[in-house]
Each structure stands twice: as structure tokens, then as C-alpha cells.
Amino acid sequence: MGGTTAIERVLHGLVDLHCHSGPNPLPRRFDHVQAARDGARLGMRALLAKSHHHNTVMDLLAVREQLSGLSTQVFGGIALNQFVGGINPYAVELSLRMGGRCVWFPTISSSAHIDHHNSGGGFPTPTIPLSSSQTDIRTGSGELLPEARRVIELIVESDALLSAGHLAPDDVRLVFTTAAELGVRRMVLSHPNFVIGSDPQQCREFTALGAYIEHETAMYDPEVAQAKGGPEQLMEWISAIGPEHTVLASDLGQYGRPMPVDSFIRVGGALLDLGLPEKDLGMIVRDNPAYLLGLDR
């Protein structure tokens, strides 16, 4: 059942919400155009280009002629790390109003990421020297920063995707609760069992607020040197959260790692071999991420 023909059929039209294509100060295997071209192998419908360092919307506008003839659409967004001024509503406004589809709350400058990195997390080294600092989402008294609330209001205005980035679970809960109250329709939490340190019980709280839980093929692909577990662990998460609240993305693009298409085939095939119904795999790679990226708009 997990043969190449079957898996290609099930994965056709997938949407990758977590593609680390370049340019970027971290070494990348391919750029945005190359990612889209390769996605055509599986009939990939769309991908979301993520950078921890800059607004990828401008990258895509600069190469829109090269992208225009490709079957895979490429969308961008902005991550609220120190490189864009942290929780910066002005940078978010620019990104979203220029066509951005996602805002990632702090990733590599979150406290959870910094703690993980300092404990030997093994992240790539930038090709240029970069300063680092922590980006917080709360005031000194523990409330959500007014700037963060404004960011959420801008996400509502654009009906964009809100990603929790690499925030710690308590901060994720605060952001998702506020977002749900303000009317955000699309929310996602990436790799809860990596950096963030969440568990299925907490994630069910987040899905009750309307969020989806994203796992990445890179975390479970045996051909990724730093894979964090096997497909069996991923199956346990899907069973615990439910395919209706789950997304499978790649988190690939790093130099020396597989192409996303190949990783989707390996991990998706393994899930089918473990008994995941084809319709559920289609839901987590195609239907759910298409909704989150706003392809129904």
C-alpha cells in the first residue's frame, strides 16, 4: 500500500506550510523558484516560504515572473524575530498588505528556542555573523504586549495564518486565546514535541481554540540526520489529536537535507504502511494546509 504509485496519488495536490527555501543567512539547498519547480513532481499545489530572518514576501515579488509559469504557487510571510524588530506591527502590516499569508510569532528569538539552543539543540550556523537577542510577547506584568495584540488585529484584517512560532506552551495559550477572541480563523502550532515542549493534552486545548497542530516530515524522516523520532511516534500524535486537527509539512530546505517531495513520499508512505487511511493522509497534507494558507479565499 505504501508503494510509490499509491503514495504519489495520495499526496498529489499537497500544500507545504513549512518550506525553508532561500535566500537566507542559514545555508539553503534551494531557492524559492527551485522549490516550486521540484514541487511539480508531486503536483504540489502550494508552499509557504519561511525565513526566521526576513519577510519572504519581497523575495517572491522579486521573482514573480519566474514563478508565474509554475504549477506550484509560492506564498510568503514574516517571522517576528529580532531581525525585523521583534513584535513589530509595522513590519507585519507591510508584509500582509503586500500579499503575505502568514505571521510567525517569535521563532529563533523566543525564550523556548534560546533555551533549547543553549542546551545543545544543534541548529545550523549562519553564513554571516549575526547578533542575537530574545523577543518577548508579554509585558513585565505578564500581559500580552499591546504590539502583539495589534499584530493579531492585522492578521484578522487580512484573514492570514497565525503561527505560534517557537513560543513556550503558556505563551502559545495566551496568543491563541487572544487570537480566537479577536476572530483569527487560521492558527497553527509547529513541531510541538521539538523546541516548544508541548504534549497532546495541551495541544487538544489549542485545537479547541481553533488551532491545528503541525508535524514535519524532517522530524520523522530516517534520511534526515537529526530526525527526532520514527513514523510510529507521528502516528501516535495523529491518533491523539485527530487528522482533522493535524497538518504534515516538511521543514526542509537546509543544505545537506532531502528535498521536501522525497521526504513527503518516505514519511507519507510509512504512515500508510502503519495503517493511516489514505483519506486521512490526504487531509493532513492537502485539505487542512490549503485551508490554513487561505487557498479557499
Side-chain angles (χ1 to χ4, degrees):
M1 187 175 184
T4 301
T5 301
I7 192 61
E8 287 183 350
R9 172 173 51 80
V10 177
L11 295 179
H12 186 85
L14 71 88
V15 176
D16 186 358
L17 287 183
H18 201 142
C19 183
H20 281 298
S21 43
N24 200 262
L26 298 177
R28 297 307 186 207
R29 178 174 178 178
F30 49 80
D31 63 27
H32 308 312
V33 176
Q34 291 168 326
R37 286 176 179 156
D38 195 66
R41 287 195 284 141
L42 267 184
M44 186 183 290
R45 183 180 179 187
L47 65 86
L48 180 60
K50 178 180 180 181
S51 169
H52 297 298
H53 299 84
H54 70 285
N55 171 16
T56 58
V57 176
M58 298 313 189
D59 294 355
L60 302 178
L61 291 174
V63 295
R64 56 186 166 189
E65 289 188 10
Q66 297 174 50
L67 292 170
S68 63
L70 304 178
S71 58
T72 300
Q73 291 182 279
V74 186
F75 297 94
I78 188 169
L80 301 182
N81 296 312
Q82 69 269 26
F83 309 103
V84 300
I87 309 300
N88 184 348
Y90 301 101
V92 170
E93 184 178 78
L94 172 66
S95 180
L96 294 180
R97 293 182 182 176
M98 291 294 288
R101 291 292 181 94
C102 183
V103 177
W104 292 271
F105 269 71
T107 58
I108 61 174
S109 66
S110 73
S111 61
H113 184 103
I114 292 171
D115 289 346
H116 188 87
H117 183 77
N118 290 340
S119 65
F123 291 90
T125 301
T127 56
I128 56 175
L130 292 172
S131 302
S132 62
S133 64
Q134 182 171 310
T135 299
D136 296 314
I137 66 157
R138 297 176 185 262
T139 65
S141 59
E143 303 297 319
L144 189 68
L145 286 169
E147 296 89 344
R149 186 179 181 89
R150 176 57 183 153
V151 164
I152 294 172
E153 292 171 346
L154 288 165
I155 292 171
V156 174
E157 173 194 290
S158 294
D159 194 21
L161 171 61
L162 185 159
S163 168
H166 294 179
L167 296 177
D170 286 347
D171 288 340
V172 173
R173 183 179 295 107
L174 176 60
V175 168
F176 281 169
T177 300
T178 305
E181 292 171 353
L182 293 179
V184 173
R185 297 200 305 142
R186 312 174 203 269
M187 300 187 288
V188 70
L189 172 66
S190 299
H191 46 66
N193 51 340
F194 174 60
V195 177
I196 291 166
S198 189
D199 56 39
Q201 181 177 347
Q202 288 174 328
C203 287
R204 283 191 288 268
E205 295 179 39
F206 302 149
T207 61
L209 292 168
Y212 289 71
I213 306 303
E214 177 195 287
H215 290 271
E216 296 79 18
T217 64
M219 303 294 166
Y220 304 97
D221 187 339
E223 295 199 18
V224 177
Q226 294 176 329
K228 301 301 184 287
E232 296 82 5
Q233 183 183 7
L234 177 55
M235 275 290 288
E236 292 175 2
W237 271 95
I238 295 171
S239 298
I241 302 301
E244 67 276 13
H245 300 299
T246 300
V247 170
L248 185 63
S250 76
D251 195 4
L252 288 170
Q254 303 89 347
Y255 181 78
R257 289 190 171 186
M259 297 299 289
V261 163
D262 298 320
S263 190
F264 270 110
I265 290 173
R266 269 191 298 275
V267 175
L271 291 173
L272 294 183
D273 288 342
L274 289 169
L276 184 70
E278 290 187 3
K279 65 177 180 60
D280 289 349
L281 182 56
M283 182 182 298
I284 67 176
V285 301
R286 182 175 52 248
D287 304 336
N288 293 344
Y291 167 73
L292 290 173
L293 195 51
L295 300 183
D296 58 331
R297 295 198 297 193

